[in-house]
Amino acid sequence: RVSAISVRMSNPTPAQCTVIEEVGSTGVGALALGFIILAVATVIFLSKAWNAGEHKSYYLATSYLSGIGTIVYFAMLSGEGWTTVTGCRQFFWVRNAGWFVTQPLVVLLLGLVAQSDNASIAAGMGAVAIFNVATYFGAVADVQSVKWIWLLIGVVGLVGALVAVTRTFKSAVQLRGSLEIEQLYGRLATLASFALAAYPLVWLFAVGFGGFSVSFEVCAYAVLDVLLQAVAGFVVVGAQATLASGAPKEFV
């Protein structure tokens, strides 16, 4: 379904487009694979949450994380939740809607493992939510200068979230006095930091400069989503014995 942009201008607005560049077969395959992986992960996480006992908060977070991702990927696979943006590109706004929930859930999960204070967890969740709102508005902006301002705002929010993950939560987990939990947090934080930092890079070369095709953009985001919404969950699920060494923190 990929088609060339027929409007001969540098950055045509959606109203000027006669042909839209849509996701191709490779991108559709990535959406299908992402949907299957996240759906299977959701079933596994829910089964673990059912028998988790006092550690249910960890597994409920992973279940919602992959479950919401599953819904988003089903919507994209069904051809829903998209619009046309500047450059005559197909833009899946439903992806940002999902990230607005799932990425703060990743921060929450890390905060629970670290047993950080509620204020720090809320601040990290809010910061990554700002990143998602800003990159959405940047993607649908028709004026290039406005687009870059939104990206800058989003990066500021993302930096705040990364500071929470790499510094604030890390300090909190060190206070737990458990080497095993500290190592577990280190693996999760490394995975989350890498994935979160990669999102604006994909945005920059896809929506920003238009250098990535829509299909390549979909494939790149699918890899990052699976890392954050499934792999991170499996890291937590596989560390039940480690998490049992410390009482879980309830986020209220």
Side-chain angles (χ1 to χ4, degrees):
R1 296 175 60 193
V2 178
S3 51
I5 299 175
S6 64
V7 179
R8 303 302 181 183
M9 53 185 68
S10 57
N11 285 295
T13 63
Q16 297 169 323
C17 297
T18 58
V19 179
I20 302 168
E21 181 189 1
E22 299 182 5
V23 62
S25 57
T26 302
V28 171
L31 292 176
L33 186 59
F35 169 73
I36 293 171
I37 292 173
L38 292 172
V40 171
T42 301
V43 173
I44 294 174
F45 297 156
L46 283 174
S47 66
K48 294 293 184 180
W50 186 264
N51 301 308
E54 62 177 322
H55 306 291
K56 184 171 291 188
S57 57
Y58 298 119
Y59 304 118
L60 284 177
T62 59
S63 299
Y64 277 109
L65 187 60
S66 59
I68 293 171
T70 301
I71 294 171
V72 169
Y73 270 77
F74 178 73
M76 291 190 290
L77 193 57
S78 303
E80 299 173 289
W82 68 274
T83 187
T84 306
V85 296
T86 299
C88 300
R89 293 175 61 93
Q90 182 182 32
F91 171 69
F92 287 100
W93 58 261
V94 70
R95 192 162 44 205
N96 279 75
W99 290 338
F100 186 77
V101 180
T102 58
Q103 290 184 2
L105 277 176
V106 171
V107 176
L108 171 60
L109 182 62
L110 288 164
L112 290 174
V113 173
Q115 288 197 358
S116 184
D117 62 280
N118 291 348
S120 296
I121 294 175
M125 294 172 68
V128 79
I130 289 173
F131 166 69
N132 280 294
V133 171
T135 51
Y136 165 77
F137 282 117
V140 299
D142 291 337
V143 181
Q144 284 295 104
S145 59
V146 174
K147 183 187 296 288
W148 299 125
I149 291 173
W150 278 120
L151 177 61
L152 178 61
I153 294 172
V155 169
V156 170
L158 182 61
V159 168
L162 291 175
V163 168
V165 170
T166 59
R167 295 178 63 88
T168 308
F169 295 174
K170 184 178 180 180
S171 298
V173 78
Q174 289 172 341
L175 295 177
R176 296 191 64 173
S178 170
L179 179 60
E180 292 79 8
I181 292 181
E182 190 172 338
Q183 291 173 338
L184 168 63
Y185 181 81
R187 293 194 295 272
L188 284 171
T190 299
L191 174 63
S193 298
F194 166 78
L196 289 172
Y199 279 101
L201 294 178
V202 177
W203 190 100
L204 181 66
F205 290 101
V207 176
F209 296 135
F212 290 168
S213 67
V214 174
S215 283
F216 187 87
E217 176 189 9
V218 166
C219 291
Y221 280 138
V223 171
L224 297 178
D225 288 341
V226 168
L227 285 176
L228 271 188
Q229 299 170 18
V231 175
F234 281 116
V235 172
V236 172
V237 168
Q240 294 185 64
T242 301
L243 293 173
S245 65
K249 174 184 175 63
E250 296 298 331
F251 183 76
V252 294

